[in-house]
Amino acid sequence: MYKYLFSLILVAVMASAAAAQDCLDISGEWLCGGTTPVRLPGTTDDARLGEPNRLGPAMAKPQLTHLTRRHCFMGEARYLRRVDIPKAMAGRPLRVTFERVLWRSRLFVDGRDMGQSQESLVSPHVYTIPRGLAEGAHEIELRVDNSKQYDILYNEMCHAYTDETQIKWNGVLGRMEITALADVEIASLDVYPDVAGRRISVAARLSKHGGGRAKGVLTLGVRQLSTGCRLPVKSLRVALPDSATDVTAWYDMGDDVRLWSEFDPTLYELTAEYDGGGIHAGRNVTFGMREIGSEGGRLLVNGRRTFLRGTLECCVFPLTGTPPTTEDGWLKVFATARDWGLNHLRFHSYCPPEAAFRVADRMGFYLQVELPCWSLNIGRDKAVELFLRREFDNIVANYGNHPSLCLVSCGNELQSDFTVLNSMVRDMKQKDPRHLYSTTTYTFERGHGGHPEPEDQFFVTQRTDSGWVRGQGVFDAERPSFEKDYAASVGTPSVPLISHEIGQYAVYPNVREIEKYTGVLDPLNFKAVRDDLRDKGLLKLADDFFDASGRFAAILYKEEVERALKTPGFSGFQLLGLQDFPGQSTALVGLVDAFWDNKGFMSPADFRCFCAPVVPLARYGKAVYTTDETFDAAVEVANYGREAIAGGRLVWTLADDLGRTVGSGATDCGTIAQGGLTALGRVKVDLGGVAGPCRLTLRVALDGTPWRNSWHIWVYPPTAGVDCGDVVLTADCDEAARALAKGRKVLFSPAEKHLEGLEGKFVPVFWSPVHFPKQAGTMGVLCNPSHPALASFPTESHSDWQWWGLMKNSKVLVTDSLRNVVPIVSVIDNFANNRRLAAAIEARCGGGRLLFTSMNLIEKMDSCPEARQMAVSLLRYMNSADFAPAAEMTVGELRSFISATDNSIKTGAESIY
């Protein structure tokens, strides 16, 4: 063994020394168009070539559509440079590699077209010069055309080719090199792990670049990268009668082999060396012992049930507009995602460069990549189908060994011919069984999308044939209930089900982010919003809009994630998103910004309380209680960790915001099985001793572990009626006007059907108000929790679940005409309109004092405790000396909010489309 090991090391050293003479780095200065110096790798945007942007900030398209390129070059660019071929490379076959190009390229050498046009969007553009070049100087010209080559995109939004996130750049990214080829080359080397058999199947292709027959020895060796430990060498005698010879062999990994997963991302390196007739060739590949599959519709990694906690990565890199090709460029992406408890990234309608896979391999991430396609016309153009099939071959040829590459989809929300898509997936499964495949990542195609396709090995959807599996169709339509899951919609899945693009809760733009955009993209969208706020006198509220809408979004994301974890048939979720999306009409839905920096609404540690391998969960019926009720919650644990948890102990407390404990307890958990949900018992607390109104927090933890979680509920006195004191409480405008004329104090709360204004919604803007303008378009409440009008209505400055009953079946007042009125409860408008919105205002009016609320309190008081409590709080304020409105409004202005006819507005989750 030691003789073979020494030989392997010696050959590797010789190969390394030879490689230094056999490879030319051709990065550096090139001439674009024959005259303009540019640096490659790089883009014309980096070099400030092309049409300069002449747009300024404006509340219109295209400025609000996406970040704006400062310089835009479209068409063919010609990049020229001289290279000197050394004597050691002269006359030998050459390979010229450009790691990433967008879209079509052609290579010319000394003015001669190499005739090998390249067009991949997912893998390197590689050219061969079979007869090589003479020693000395030669002229290399690369022509790159970044115009559209195939119809693969809907509304220019496919992330492999778009200006929405990744720009339609021209240039070269990553490695640029010329390599001299030996007479024999190990052209490909693939590893197929057999976890149960503790072995790998090695598939090598040996290519000859010289004439005649050849024979020699192929040596295989494996080492564990973290320890350097080497496994025994295996040698095979091979003959090469043809230009290409395929060799397969089993390699025993030993009894101590370590499997690759999110918990132990152990990597191995396979070295293959050919030695024969004085010819040496070598190739190394990194791999992990990972098998992905399913059983009973549940996702398995190495036989262990796995739950994907994912987010989308849509090629959002706002300084360059291009995906990184270095590991440093991806470290922040994956480190941030891991810090927020994620184990999965979905690359939406594109495939990242090699560096992303290397980082994901080391950090234990499960990746989903997609063919570069977001099309509604699948099957209508054979050329597109053939292009996509080639792109699949490119993906598995270049990245197939990476253990992080787990899932492959044909694209995003594809439509039209599913016969073609099923045929493509069937062929994918036959070509490379190391991954799981799907026809599309959801679809809106009628008759599809609600169930897996025949060839699907995993299924990503937002709703099944039986109902929604994400909050979009639930959280606004149904009164808050935290005992629910999506089991009725999921049923018994035939393949692993992953919920599609959950969340999409828009957050108000952070205008302070503008200063971060120092690269090729100008944030005209952010600047336009800033300028509009300034012109309307609202810029001073920008930080509050940003903070309140963001904290509300974080609350909704928590329930999205927990409801997914509570669903027994789920295999994961994909957030849209943890990171902001500055394209598609400025969809700022993230808890981190486009630069992967925390926006400050929630800490990663708090997010990990409900997004982690192990998560305590509570099922309880509602958010709002009264003191004559009992709080009753079923506690369970979702355990998708490394193993079962033995001897666990559940501890819990229910306490108010002052730290006063209402109830507490502890119970032994027994063994918490890995791979699903385990019930731990119930929390029951009589709320009769609560000094309401107050907010209580239920905190649960698995003692001695990092796993903990918490939830808020609100408790109010069970008041049968309300004490108006000397305030007139009315829903009738005429009655209100008469009382005001007599100098009275009036709490005016008309029915929502009699009010002008926007539809009252609990949930904020979905995705973007510009992309989906057919929605109410508000972004939650903004208030001062210390305002005396809210003294008996515990709240923070933003919406939370206790606001659901107040905002539903209500109207939002548009108060642009009342510039001097400062609302008690504001409602945040979307950034496309920036109106002054309110749900409760106060003013001197018609000789009296008015508090006007559009929350429909009178109709709701008997059935909605939070509406009753809000009325109590407002009335106590109005009956105190604090009620002294400074602003004035006329009775005519008051009447302008009243509709003479039924003005009810009811829209559902799908009204936006």
Side-chain angles (χ1 to χ4, degrees):
M1 169 186 172
Y2 296 106
K3 177 181 178 181
Y4 285 119
L5 181 58
F6 175 76
S7 299
L8 182 65
I9 295 172
L10 179 62
V11 169
V13 170
M14 294 171 61
S16 177
Q21 305 172 38
D22 290 349
C23 185
L24 283 180
D25 180 353
I26 55 174
S27 64
E29 186 173 289
W30 292 59
L31 293 178
C32 182
T35 57
T36 305
V38 297
R39 292 201 64 81
L40 297 180
T43 68
T44 53
D45 292 73
D46 296 330
R48 301 187 177 187
L49 300 179
E51 187 70 22
N53 171 57
R54 291 181 172 83
L55 296 172
M59 295 294 289
K61 295 181 179 180
Q63 288 95 323
L64 291 182
T65 304
H66 48 66
L67 301 171
T68 302
R69 293 171 71 177
R70 300 184 194 274
H71 295 82
C72 180
F73 181 96
M74 294 299 297
E76 183 177 86
R78 301 185 178 189
Y79 302 95
L80 186 73
R81 72 160 292 169
R82 194 186 84 163
V83 298
D84 290 307
I85 301 297
K87 182 176 181 180
M89 295 175 63
R92 296 167 59 186
L94 299 176
R95 175 178 294 126
V96 188
T97 302
F98 303 96
E99 183 172 353
R100 186 146 293 204
V101 178
L102 186 150
W103 184 331
R104 187 185 300 274
S105 71
R106 290 188 297 159
L107 182 67
F108 293 75
V109 178
D110 296 330
R112 181 166 58 92
D113 189 347
M114 293 293 97
Q116 305 165 47
S117 175
Q118 300 287 305
E119 59 185 17
S120 178
L121 292 172
V122 303
S123 63
H125 286 205
V126 178
Y127 295 87
T128 57
I129 306 175
R131 297 181 180 179
L133 298 173
E135 181 182 359
H138 296 271
E139 185 181 81
I140 301 290
E141 182 185 26
L142 181 69
R143 298 183 183 179
V144 177
D145 185 355
N146 64 344
S147 58
K148 183 167 71 173
Q149 306 297 318
Y150 296 98
D151 184 15
I152 59 167
L153 55 162
Y154 165 66
N155 282 351
E156 303 293 311
M157 294 192 298
C158 172
H159 296 134
Y161 183 76
T162 184
D163 276 330
E164 298 291 331
T165 52
Q166 175 178 217
I167 59 176
K168 296 174 182 174
W169 50 273
N170 194 306
V172 179
L173 306 179
R175 290 183 299 111
M176 303 173 63
E177 59 193 25
I178 300 175
T179 305
L181 305 178
D183 288 345
V184 174
E185 176 193 22
I186 302 176
S188 65
L189 186 63
D190 288 294
V191 179
Y192 298 84
D194 174 10
V195 168
R198 299 178 182 273
R199 59 182 183 169
I200 57 174
S201 174
V202 178
R205 167 158 286 199
L206 278 63
S207 297
K208 284 196 311 176
H209 300 291
R213 299 171 64 88
K215 59 182 180 179
V217 175
L218 182 68
T219 306
L220 304 177
V222 171
R223 71 183 179 100
Q224 186 180 319
L225 290 180
S226 61
T227 65
C229 178
R230 296 182 182 273
L231 278 64
V233 172
K234 183 171 185 174
S235 298
L236 307 168
R237 295 195 174 277
V238 295
L240 286 72
D242 303 312
S243 59
T245 299
D246 291 325
V247 178
T248 60
W250 286 105
Y251 185 99
D252 187 358
M253 295 292 293
D255 293 338
D256 297 329
V257 63
R258 291 170 61 178
L259 306 185
W260 183 95
S261 71
E262 62 183 292
F263 307 108
D264 185 8
T266 298
L267 295 173
Y268 292 90
E269 182 182 66
L270 169 67
T271 298
E273 299 284 352
Y274 172 84
D275 190 3
I279 299 172
H280 302 283
R283 192 179 185 102
N284 300 330
V285 296
T286 300
F287 70 96
M289 290 295 289
R290 190 271 296 146
E291 285 184 347
I292 189 164
S294 66
E295 182 177 77
R298 310 296 174 83
L299 186 68
L300 303 178
V301 174
N302 300 328
R304 177 194 289 124
R305 178 130 190 251
T306 299
F307 194 96
L308 299 179
R309 309 180 303 279
T311 191
L312 273 64
E313 202 296 288
C314 300
C315 205
V316 178
F317 296 95
L319 294 181
T320 62
T322 61
T325 54
T326 65
E327 293 183 32
D328 284 347
W330 286 100
L331 279 173
K332 186 174 184 180
V333 174
F334 285 101
T336 304
R338 183 174 65 181
D339 199 27
W340 287 76
L342 303 182
N343 64 359
H344 168 54
L345 258 63
R346 172 196 162 202
F347 292 93
H348 181 304
S349 61
Y350 94 108
C351 178
E354 169 78 21
F357 294 98
R358 292 198 297 265
V359 175
D361 288 347
R362 291 203 309 271
M363 297 182 68
F365 270 80
Y366 309 118
L367 304 185
Q368 175 182 327
V369 305
E370 296 177 359
L371 301 187
C373 190
W374 182 355
S375 171
L376 311 187
N377 301 310
I378 294 296
R380 298 180 186 176
D381 186 341
K382 189 66 176 178
V384 171
E385 178 190 340
L386 294 176
F387 168 73
L388 294 175
R389 288 178 179 271
R390 290 193 297 272
E391 290 290 68
F392 169 73
D393 292 340
N394 289 329
I395 287 172
V396 295
N398 285 274
Y399 317 120
N401 284 316
H402 289 283
S404 58
L405 177 52
C406 295
L407 309 176
V408 180
S409 167
C410 293
N412 177 70
E413 295 175 8
L414 304 178
Q415 290 187 235
S416 198
D417 193 339
F418 275 79
T419 302
V420 170
L421 291 171
N422 277 284
S423 171
M424 290 173 63
V425 170
R426 183 165 53 250
D427 293 344
M428 292 175 183
K429 292 188 290 188
Q430 292 173 352
K431 286 183 177 180
D432 192 338
R434 292 174 292 185
H435 325 291
L436 299 183
Y437 301 97
S438 181
T439 50
T440 179
T441 307
Y442 190 59
T443 180
F444 289 95
E445 184 77 14
R446 290 185 179 275
H448 303 269
H451 52 267
E453 292 297 311
E455 296 294 338
D456 283 350
Q457 291 179 305
F458 68 98
F459 175 46
V460 183
T461 189
Q462 54 189 249
R463 62 183 306 164
T464 70
D465 292 332
S466 300
W468 287 97
V469 293
R470 70 180 190 186
Q472 178 191 1
V474 179
F475 293 170
D476 196 70
E478 299 178 3
R479 177 169 280 276
S481 173
F482 306 93
E483 59 191 359
K484 295 182 178 179
D485 56 35
Y486 300 117
S489 297
V490 172
T492 304
S494 58
V495 298
L497 185 150
I498 303 162
S499 54
H500 177 252
E501 298 181 358
I502 69 171
Q504 304 190 48
Y505 301 114
V507 175
Y508 199 86
N510 178 15
V511 297
R512 297 182 186 275
E513 191 178 310
I514 292 170
E515 63 189 29
K516 289 186 173 185
Y517 291 86
T518 58
V520 303
L521 294 168
D522 193 347
L524 295 183
N525 45 1
F526 285 81
K527 292 177 179 178
V529 172
R530 177 200 60 195
D531 294 351
D532 192 50
L533 290 173
R534 183 185 57 220
D535 293 345
K536 293 176 177 177
L538 294 172
L539 186 57
K540 61 185 178 182
L541 294 174
D543 290 346
D544 293 333
F545 290 167
F546 169 66
D547 185 73
S549 62
R551 292 182 186 277
F552 182 31
I555 289 165
L556 296 171
Y557 275 116
K558 174 176 165 64
E559 177 60 14
E560 284 273 12
V561 171
E562 290 187 356
R563 195 167 289 211
L565 285 166
K566 288 174 182 176
T567 304
F570 259 36
S571 286
F573 60 81
Q574 295 169 343
L575 295 171
L576 185 57
L578 179 61
Q579 182 198 25
D580 271 348
F581 191 104
Q584 281 186 38
S585 304
T586 311
L588 306 178
V589 296
L591 301 181
V592 303
D593 63 21
F595 302 86
W596 289 90
D597 293 329
N598 189 352
K599 293 163 78 171
F601 315 133
M602 176 179 282
S603 71
D606 285 341
F607 197 85
R608 290 196 305 273
C609 289
F610 57 87
C611 183
V614 180
V615 177
L617 299 165
R619 295 181 187 256
Y620 53 101
K622 53 187 180 177
V624 175
Y625 292 80
T626 54
T627 54
D628 58 353
E629 294 183 281
T630 296
F631 175 69
D632 184 358
V635 179
E636 58 191 3
V637 170
N639 179 14
Y640 297 97
R642 183 194 299 265
E643 57 194 3
I645 301 172
R649 179 175 169 82
L650 172 72
V651 295
W652 63 269
T653 61
L654 185 66
D656 66 16
D657 289 345
L658 297 177
R660 295 175 297 198
T661 299
V662 176
S664 63
T667 184
D668 292 332
C669 304
T671 297
I672 301 172
Q674 192 282 334
L677 295 161
T678 299
L680 300 185
R682 304 195 75 87
V683 169
K684 286 190 177 184
V685 179
D686 182 351
L687 300 176
V690 174
C694 67
R695 184 182 73 170
L696 301 180
T697 302
L698 173 66
R699 294 180 175 87
V700 302
L702 293 179
D703 201 19
T705 77
W707 316 123
R708 58 186 177 86
N709 205 350
S710 63
W711 304 266
H712 298 311
I713 62 170
W714 290 262
V715 181
Y716 307 134
T719 308
V722 294
D723 181 6
C724 292
D726 60 359
V727 175
V728 175
L729 172 63
T730 182
D732 183 85
C733 190
D734 291 335
E735 182 183 359
R738 289 192 297 269
L740 290 168
K742 295 177 182 179
R744 301 286 302 277
K745 294 183 288 187
V746 175
L747 175 55
F748 180 44
S749 184
E752 54 94 16
K753 65 183 178 181
H754 296 315
L755 279 173
E756 299 287 350
L758 308 177
E759 180 187 8
K761 286 281 190 180
F762 174 67
V763 298
V765 167
F766 179 81
W767 190 238
S768 159
V770 181
H771 195 78
F772 291 116
K774 297 179 182 179
Q775 53 182 319
T778 53
M779 306 181 77
V781 304
L782 173 64
C783 63
N784 177 4
S786 299
H787 194 294
L790 302 175
S792 296
F793 188 83
T795 185
E796 293 180 282
S797 62
H798 52 80
S799 290
D800 207 331
W801 295 106
Q802 89 276 25
W803 284 93
W804 188 96
L806 294 167
M807 300 312 297
K808 291 293 291 181
N809 300 312
S810 76
K811 285 285 178 62
V812 174
L813 305 175
V814 181
T815 61
D816 286 332
S817 61
L818 306 176
R819 296 280 297 227
N820 295 322
V821 172
V822 179
I824 294 170
V825 178
S826 295
V827 177
I828 303 169
D829 197 8
N830 66 75
F831 66 82
N833 293 302
N834 293 322
R835 293 161 293 191
R836 296 169 184 266
L837 304 181
I841 60 176
E842 61 179 344
R844 298 196 306 274
C845 180
R849 287 177 286 171
L850 171 72
L851 198 158
F852 174 22
T853 174
S854 60
M855 292 183 282
N856 197 8
L857 299 182
I858 296 174
E859 278 194 358
K860 296 175 183 176
M861 277 195 289
D862 290 340
S863 60
C864 181
E866 54 267 48
R868 184 169 62 246
Q869 190 62 37
M870 175 62 80
V872 167
S873 190
L874 296 178
L875 287 165
R876 287 177 178 172
Y877 165 64
M878 296 179 73
N879 280 295
S880 74
D882 290 323
F883 182 49
E888 293 189 15
M889 63 183 293
T890 67
V891 172
E893 288 172 322
L894 177 63
R895 290 188 184 277
S896 70
F897 291 102
I898 305 302
S899 173
T901 59
D902 188 331
N903 195 32
S904 299
I905 306 173
K906 303 293 182 197
T907 59
E910 295 181 287
S911 301
I912 62 172
Y913 298 120

